[in-house]
Amino acid sequence: MDEGSSKKDGLNDRQREAAGHLDGALLIVAGAGAGKTKTLVHRIARLIENGVAPENILAITFTNKAAGEMQERVAEMLERRDAPYSSRPFVATFHALGAFILRNDGERIGSPRNFTILDKGDSLSLIKKAVKSENLDPKQFAPSRIQGAISREKGELIDCRTYAEQARGEYFPAIVSRVWAEYEALLAKTKSLDFDDLLLRAVLLLKEHGDVRERYRNRFKYIHIDEYQDTNTAQYELARLLADGHGNICVVGDADQNIYSWRGANIRNILNFEKDYKNAKTVLLEENYRSTRTILSAANEIIKKNTLRKEKNLFTRGAEGEKISLFGAYDETEEAEYVAEKIKNIKKGARGNIAVLFRANFQSRALEEAMLSNNVPYELIGTRFFERREIKDALSFIRAAQNRENILDFGRIINVPPRGIGKTTLEKVLAGGFGSLPARTREKITEFEKILSDIGTMLEKEPPSAITRFALRRSGILGMYRKENEEERERLENLEELVTVAAKYDSYPREEALAAFLSDAALASDQDDLRKGGEAVKLMTVHASKGLEFGHVFITGLEQGLFPHDSFGFGGDGSVDRAEEERRLFYVALTRAARRVYLTFASTRTIFGSKRANAPSEFLSDISEELMDYET
């Protein structure tokens, strides 16, 4: 190791250079496995050591999991250095930051203080109601498609009124405009915001109210943004509005890992950073602490063909490592069997550190069948803890007690546990027809309202864990699952785990604790549920693997048309070169691996019920033969 690597702070020269640049704009171009989080944590610690109050430091990540890890590492770093730590930096996701700003000041633009955050599923339910109220056929005008259109526009900072003006004379946009207007009315009626509103409204608030903008600029004097290449227009603008007053903005990212253009991420945000902030300093982190030389050589060969990037070359001082395995299967069944057999041959203690990646969700079926038939424990990433039925029911009781106008939560739980209140009765209640109901039915609804009132009395005086524990008992949900079959025992365990999750927020200031708990629950990502350790192999899409690392990685379905995916075409769409994004996606897949990579493809694959002959992915020919070991 060089002299810089051996110094007591554990940073290499480039990391130390980045961590020591405290004032002004800073761009850290951090390759995969290059220690970006470590660098950010050291930078935050140095700011505090140099007299910056912790509460004046903002650090933005893209997942609750990443935010939690950064909070823990900053606390540990400061404890080791005996730094003054009377308060804490604000570490959160973009959406959590938006929610924080709106809960404090959103009333200035008409947002209710105690709004409910709708997850994607709840948002879709309201859009379905809007489609129905506009007398549109959901088969012809798919609510999910309309939801996607609205989300994209909000991400570009286009509101409903502006979109309606632009949509005149165009058929589908005019339909979207009608549904969107009704959707906004339903959001207002239920005192709810969707994910995109958290950013859109926060930006509008800061733009329209200079005093609010200045207050947050003074609060967050040093800004850090991780994964900057994944920011969309709204996130970019929110960061700019906060940083423009002082210019102390540090962004970390890698254009080579921009893989989310389909949800609005704009690679040019990071490529243009030095133009946006004229005196910005740029530091390249190219030393990789994760992968072998073989893996990095393959990754460098893959990505160098792209043009939308900042030149860098990953290297490691570590081992050469084993060659990359390549297996060509006849079909997806043989491919999956190969993967399962290989995993069985990997020593038992390492199996919990294995990922099987695929480009499209449908590929998981054959892989799951092979894992089951070979008795290989696996975990399919994608079923979120907070999307489980019993968890959503429990949170709905808390949210409904807090916001009685939320008809989604009210409707979800009015018959949980079953109390004989049907859909027709619910519609009458929501329409104001309570008085016309039979006396016994009115009694049931009054009893339900009493449950919400009792939970409501806990909201202002108890910490989140106590509120959750009380809500589970008072609602009767716990009683529903005190059964002896495995499924109900699992649901009961999940509810117990919810109390454990809530307890993490008990140390927050009382006025922030419950809001933070409910916000984080609504904004949870797939990775937040990823369990550490154990024997389970992780099955997931390449997109879901972003930011994770594993000892052994299998990348399956490397066929032309599947990976790279034929829906992305070649030649770009004017804003993002989709072909380059597919190449970045493969680069991300390769760099998840620390020790060994296995590549597979199938000569035939059944898609939509028909067998299709496939050519191997063009990516395979971009890797030097001396790095590959061909298996038969």
Side-chain angles (χ1 to χ4, degrees):
M1 284 193 174
D2 63 2
E3 180 186 335
S5 304
S6 64
K7 292 183 180 178
K8 65 178 183 179
D9 63 7
L11 301 178
N12 65 37
D13 289 341
R14 298 287 77 76
Q15 290 171 333
R16 188 174 300 106
E17 180 184 1
H21 184 81
L22 303 183
D23 293 302
L26 173 65
L27 168 62
I28 304 175
V29 179
K36 60 171 184 169
T37 304
K38 180 179 183 180
T39 305
L40 274 180
V41 168
H42 275 268
R43 187 176 192 271
I44 290 171
R46 289 188 183 180
L47 284 168
I48 295 171
E49 289 170 350
N50 279 270
V52 177
E55 64 267 23
N56 291 146
I57 298 172
L58 172 68
I60 297 298
T61 67
F62 270 80
T63 67
N64 291 336
K65 179 175 180 289
E69 289 174 355
M70 186 174 290
Q71 285 172 335
E72 289 175 8
R73 291 174 70 168
V74 168
E76 289 171 4
M77 174 74 68
L78 294 172
E79 285 173 11
R80 287 200 302 270
R81 297 184 175 199
D82 294 322
Y85 192 56
S86 57
S87 57
R88 60 186 176 185
F90 192 102
V91 184
T93 63
F94 265 110
H95 290 92
L97 173 63
F100 173 79
I101 291 172
L102 292 174
R103 289 203 191 280
N104 284 289
D105 296 284
E107 289 174 312
R108 297 282 292 274
I109 57 169
S111 293
R113 185 175 181 81
N114 287 322
F115 56 82
T116 297
I117 301 174
L118 301 187
D119 64 20
K120 193 172 182 180
D122 289 337
S123 167
L124 185 60
S125 295
L126 279 193
I127 288 175
K128 287 177 180 176
K129 288 180 181 291
V131 168
K132 183 178 179 181
S133 70
E134 288 296 314
N135 296 315
L136 296 169
D137 181 359
K139 293 180 180 178
Q140 184 179 0
F141 303 104
S144 59
R145 185 184 175 199
I146 294 174
Q147 181 186 43
I150 292 172
S151 178
R152 283 192 299 275
E153 295 300 325
K154 286 186 176 182
E156 291 296 320
L157 296 177
I158 304 295
D159 61 16
C160 183
R161 183 179 302 174
T162 304
Y163 184 81
E165 292 171 356
Q166 297 172 350
R168 290 172 183 165
E170 296 186 53
Y171 183 64
F172 183 71
I175 295 295
V176 171
S177 180
R178 285 170 53 192
V179 175
W180 191 349
E182 180 62 24
Y183 173 57
E184 289 296 325
L186 289 170
L187 286 172
K189 182 178 179 180
T190 59
K191 295 183 180 177
S192 302
L193 301 180
D194 63 27
F195 285 178
D196 301 299
D197 287 327
L198 299 177
L199 301 177
L200 171 63
R201 291 187 176 227
V203 169
L204 292 178
L205 172 65
L206 296 181
K207 278 186 171 180
E208 294 175 7
H209 296 276
D211 60 323
V212 177
R213 183 171 63 247
E214 288 306 311
R215 180 152 39 85
Y216 283 103
R217 284 178 178 175
N218 289 329
R219 163 77 187 271
F220 301 127
K221 295 178 180 178
Y222 289 85
I223 298 171
H224 304 76
I225 301 174
D226 194 10
E227 305 287 6
Y228 193 66
Q229 77 281 349
D230 292 335
T231 52
N232 64 12
T233 299
Q235 291 158 341
Y236 166 86
E237 190 65 14
L238 181 57
R240 187 192 66 78
L241 285 166
L242 292 174
D244 268 2
H246 46 66
N248 295 322
I249 180 170
C250 166
V251 304
V252 186
D254 180 8
D256 293 338
Q257 296 185 69
N258 171 270
I259 59 173
Y260 294 119
S261 70
W262 49 274
R263 69 181 189 195
N266 188 345
I267 193 173
R268 286 170 176 78
N269 289 347
I270 190 167
L271 294 177
N272 293 337
F273 183 82
E274 291 150 307
K275 295 179 182 176
D276 292 336
Y277 299 90
K278 301 298 184 186
N279 298 316
K281 179 181 179 64
T282 300
V283 179
L284 267 62
L285 303 185
E286 298 173 289
E287 182 170 0
N288 178 283
Y289 293 93
R290 175 189 303 157
S291 306
T292 65
R293 294 183 194 179
T294 297
I295 293 169
L296 294 182
S297 293
N300 286 331
E301 287 180 351
I302 286 295
I303 205 63
K304 69 183 181 184
K305 283 196 168 185
N306 277 7
T307 57
L308 283 172
R309 64 189 298 258
K310 196 172 186 71
E311 186 65 34
K312 70 177 187 311
N313 200 59
L314 292 180
F315 70 93
T316 181
R317 301 170 196 272
E320 188 73 27
E322 297 182 71
K323 288 187 176 182
I324 294 171
S325 295
L326 175 61
F327 178 73
Y330 168 68
D331 60 13
E332 66 268 25
T333 301
E334 185 180 8
E335 177 189 47
E337 281 296 321
Y338 164 82
V339 171
E341 287 291 340
K342 275 290 179 184
I343 290 172
K344 286 171 70 175
N345 291 333
I346 295 171
K347 66 179 182 180
K348 196 170 183 181
R351 289 185 197 161
N353 196 23
I354 298 172
V356 181
L357 308 183
F358 38 87
R359 177 63 183 82
N361 280 303
F362 76 83
Q363 294 173 254
S364 70
R365 182 199 58 79
L367 291 165
E368 286 190 80
E369 288 181 359
M371 298 298 157
L372 289 168
S373 64
N374 285 277
N375 295 314
V376 176
Y378 72 91
E379 177 185 357
L380 182 64
I381 307 304
T383 303
R384 301 177 186 174
F385 176 78
F386 289 106
E387 289 183 353
R388 290 175 169 89
R389 186 182 80 196
E390 64 276 14
I391 300 301
K392 294 199 74 167
D393 287 345
L395 292 174
S396 285
F397 270 100
I398 297 172
R399 290 198 302 257
Q402 183 185 59
N403 175 10
R404 297 296 184 89
E405 304 299 321
N406 191 333
I407 59 174
L408 285 175
D409 286 322
F410 190 89
R412 179 182 182 89
I413 56 175
I414 195 170
N415 205 38
V416 177
R419 50 176 61 89
I421 299 175
K423 185 177 179 181
T424 302
T425 300
L426 174 62
E427 289 175 351
K428 286 183 179 178
V429 172
L430 295 177
F434 175 81
S436 66
L437 297 172
R440 180 61 189 131
T441 303
R442 293 200 303 273
E443 286 178 20
K444 291 175 182 178
I445 293 170
T446 301
E447 290 168 6
F448 172 70
E449 291 274 7
K450 181 66 167 59
I451 291 172
L452 296 183
S453 295
D454 290 347
I455 296 172
T457 61
M458 303 285 288
L459 300 183
E460 298 298 324
K461 60 184 181 181
E462 297 293 339
S465 63
I467 293 169
T468 305
R469 195 178 292 111
F470 179 81
L472 292 177
R473 289 198 304 267
R474 183 66 182 89
S475 67
I477 291 178
L478 282 182
M480 284 176 62
Y481 298 119
R482 293 195 182 279
K483 304 290 175 65
E484 292 305 314
N485 66 68
E486 185 176 342
E487 179 184 343
E488 297 211 343
R489 280 200 301 274
E490 182 179 340
R491 292 189 189 280
L492 189 58
E493 289 170 357
N494 288 336
L495 291 169
E496 292 168 350
E497 178 65 15
L498 181 64
V499 178
T500 302
V501 173
K504 296 177 182 178
Y505 298 83
D506 288 353
S507 61
Y508 282 43
R510 191 171 60 80
E511 63 276 10
E512 298 176 16
L514 182 62
F517 169 52
L518 295 177
S519 293
D520 285 354
L523 300 172
S525 70
D526 291 343
Q527 289 188 10
D528 295 334
D529 286 348
L530 193 61
R531 293 187 287 274
K532 294 181 179 179
E535 286 294 302
V537 174
K538 309 301 188 288
L539 273 58
M540 66 186 82
T541 64
V542 181
H543 282 98
S545 75
K546 173 83 181 302
L548 303 176
E549 61 179 82
F550 304 90
H552 300 256
V553 171
F554 291 79
I555 307 173
T556 63
L558 280 161
E559 300 132 32
Q560 203 66 17
L562 181 55
F563 199 3
H565 203 286
D566 57 12
S567 69
F568 283 79
F570 288 83
D573 63 359
S575 62
V576 176
D577 189 325
R578 297 280 178 97
E580 290 202 0
E581 181 155 337
E582 286 293 288
R583 190 171 292 277
R584 291 194 291 270
L585 193 58
F586 185 48
Y587 172 82
V588 165
L590 285 170
T591 53
R592 298 312 91 201
R595 293 179 53 196
R596 190 82 187 270
V597 170
Y598 304 81
L599 308 178
T600 66
F601 66 91
S603 298
T604 64
R605 188 178 296 274
T606 303
I607 298 178
F608 297 121
S610 301
K611 275 195 176 294
R612 188 172 78 180
N614 307 305
S617 170
E618 66 181 64
F619 297 152
L620 298 176
S621 61
D622 293 333
I623 301 175
S624 300
E625 288 193 10
E626 58 264 29
L627 299 176
M628 306 262 263
D629 181 14
Y630 296 86
E631 298 194 32
T632 57

